[in-house]
Amino acid sequence: MPAVVAAAVVAAVVLPSGAAQAAPAGGRDQVRVPARYAQQRLDWQSCGGGSSLECAMMTVPRDWHHPDAGPDITVAVSRHRASDPALRRGVLMMAAGGPGASGLNRPEGFAKDEPAVGAAYDVVSFDQRGVGRSTHPVCQTDDELREFFAHDFRDRSPAAVQGVLDRSRELVRNCEARSGGLLPYLTTEQTVRDMDLFRSLLGAPKISYYGPSYATMVGAYYATLYPQRVERAVLDSNVGWSGSWEAFEKGQPKSFQRRFEQDFLPWLAQHDDVYHYGRTVAEVRARWEERRRALAEHPVTAGSAVIGPNQLDNGTIQALYNAAQGFPALASALVALEHGDDAGASGKALVGKVFGSYVSPEFLAEFFSVTCNDTAWNHDIGYWKRRSARDTAALPLLGARELAFSSVCAYWPTDAAPKVKVTGAGLPTTLMLNSTHDPATYYEAAVEDHRALRGSRLVTVTGGGDHGQYRNGNACVDGIVNTYLLTGEAPAHDTACAAGPLPVPAGAAAK
C-alpha cells in the first residue's frame, strides 16, 4: 500500500492540554482538530442494563480530512475506572473485531477477568463509527440478509452464479441509497483518528492498547499515525494489515479448510464413541458432505430458521473459531440434524442455535464498508468468477462464498481513502499473538505483519487453532501479556506457548 496521503489542514486553533492532534506519519501527515471537537466534554452516564461501565457520546467529523464538509457523526464510548487508584498507571484502550463487532461493553468483562490489569488501568472502549450505538450505515433488512445467504454458494450453474452477483450488486446499491453518504468515511484510518480524539478527551498523553482480530489493524494503524501516543500495545490474532484486505481474504479459504480438515474432523472421528459420526476422517467428511447434499434438496426448519447448505457451512465456520466452545456444540448439532424430527425439542433448539444464525445486517454493513473502502480491490468480475470456481472446488468450506463476498467489493464505489503503511517506526516494543491454525487470522499473515512491524515480538501458540489467544485459558499467553501490560517487560525474542488440549466431550471414553 502507498504511504498515508497528506491530509488537508484545517485552520489552526488553540488546543487544550492533551488535545487531539495527529502525529506526523513519515513527516508528511498533519491534521489539526477544530475546537468544537477538541473542547467538547464527555457526559459520562451509566451504560444501563446493570452494567458497571460509564458511557458517553463523542461528536466527531464525518470526514477528518474535511471536517466542515458534511454533518457530524457520533461515536459511543465507554470506560471502567481503575479499581485501585493508588495503582493506576494510565489508560488501556480496547477495540473490537469484525469489522462490525461492538466494543462498547468489553471493558467490563476485561476488568473482571484480569483484575490486576483492571486495577492498574482505566479500561476504555468504543463502538467504532458504523457500529452499534455509533452512527452506522444501513444496507439490508433481515429478509434481504436471509436472501443473500439462501440458495447454495457451491452451485456453479450460470443461473446460480448470476444470482449471487445480482444479490451482491443489490446489496451495494442499497448501502449507497440508505446510508446518507456515510459509506466513504467508514474506514480504519478514520476510526483511529476518532480514537485519538477519545484519548485527548480522557486527558491521557499516551495510551496502552489491546485489540483482537480486526482490532489488530486498528491498533497497527493507530500506532503508525500516532507512535508517540502509544505506551504499550498487544495485537492478538492478526489480520493481514501489512497488505490489502483483498490479499488477506484470498488466504482465508485455505486456512478455514485447514482448520476443518486437520483439527475438527479428526477430533470428531476420535470421539465416535460419543457422536457416532464416523471412526475415520474420511468417514466423518463423507457424512458431513452427505448431510450438506441432503439439505440442498430438503432444507430443515428449526424454529424460525431454515437450514440449508449455506447455513450448514455458516455454523461449521463459526464453530472453528474456538475448539472448547465450538467443537462439541457443532458435533451435537450435526447429530441432531441426523435425527431430524426425532431430535426432540432440545436437539432442534441446538440446530437452530448453531446453524440458524450467522451475522446481522448491521454487522455485514460495517464489514463491507471497511473491507471494501480500506484498500484497493480488483473490480474485474470475470476474475472473481474464475478464482471462486477454483476455490469452490478445492477449498469449499469458505471458498464457496468467495464470489458473494468479493463481488460486493468489486461492485463497491471506489474512493480515494488515505492508506496506511505500517512500519513500526518510533514505537516501543509491540506484542503480537497468533495460533498456528487460526482459521480467520491465519498464521502466515501474522508472520508477514510481524516482519512489517519493526521491533515487535511474536508469541506463537503452537498446536492449536483458536482465534483470540489472550484470556482464552492459556496461562503461558496470559502471563506474558499481563507482565507486559503491568511492567512493560516483553520477551527478549519471539517466543512460543503450547496450546491447551482439545475439549473432551461429556461421556467420552478414556483414551
Side-chain angles (χ1 to χ4, degrees), residues 260-399:
F260 180 58
E261 294 184 351
Q262 297 183 22
D263 292 350
F264 175 70
L265 294 182
W267 177 87
L268 188 53
Q270 179 186 0
H271 296 294
D272 183 61
D273 59 326
V274 176
Y275 300 110
H276 310 295
Y277 209 80
R279 291 174 293 178
T280 67
V281 168
E283 289 176 356
V284 171
R285 182 191 293 110
R287 193 163 183 179
W288 189 92
E289 291 287 350
E290 180 184 358
R291 176 51 49 196
R292 194 183 190 283
R293 287 191 295 270
L295 289 172
E297 296 177 5
H298 303 289
V300 170
T301 299
S304 61
V306 178
I307 315 301
N310 287 343
Q311 287 64 47
L312 180 70
D313 294 347
N314 292 345
T316 301
I317 288 166
Q318 291 304 299
L320 301 181
Y321 280 71
N322 185 281
Q325 298 171 15
F327 285 16
L330 174 59
S332 296
L334 289 170
V335 171
L337 271 178
E338 294 288 310
H339 291 160
D341 290 337
D342 295 331
S346 61
K348 292 179 180 178
L350 182 61
V351 167
K353 180 179 180 181
V354 172
F355 301 116
S357 61
Y358 186 46
V359 294
S360 67
E362 295 77 17
F363 182 101
L364 211 60
E366 173 73 357
F367 176 85
F368 283 128
S369 296
V370 172
T371 57
C372 299
N373 280 334
D374 265 0
T375 57
W377 279 78
N378 186 335
H379 291 267
D380 181 356
I381 293 297
Y383 167 83
W384 290 113
K385 288 168 68 174
R386 293 187 297 271
R387 181 182 177 88
S388 64
R390 293 194 300 269
D391 283 347
T392 297
L395 307 164
L397 184 61
L398 205 71

Side-chain angles (χ1 to χ4, degrees), residues 177-222:
R178 297 169 180 175
S179 295
L182 181 63
L183 295 185
Y185 312 106
L186 299 177
T187 70
T188 305
E189 184 264 348
Q190 296 276 357
T191 288
V192 301
R193 299 193 185 280
D194 298 341
M195 289 170 58
D196 201 58
L197 176 63
F198 185 24
R199 172 205 60 77
S200 75
L201 297 178
L202 292 168
K206 294 187 176 186
I207 61 167
S208 293
Y209 179 83
Y210 170 74
S213 195
Y214 162 64
T216 61
M217 177 178 280
V218 175
Y221 278 26
Y222 183 88

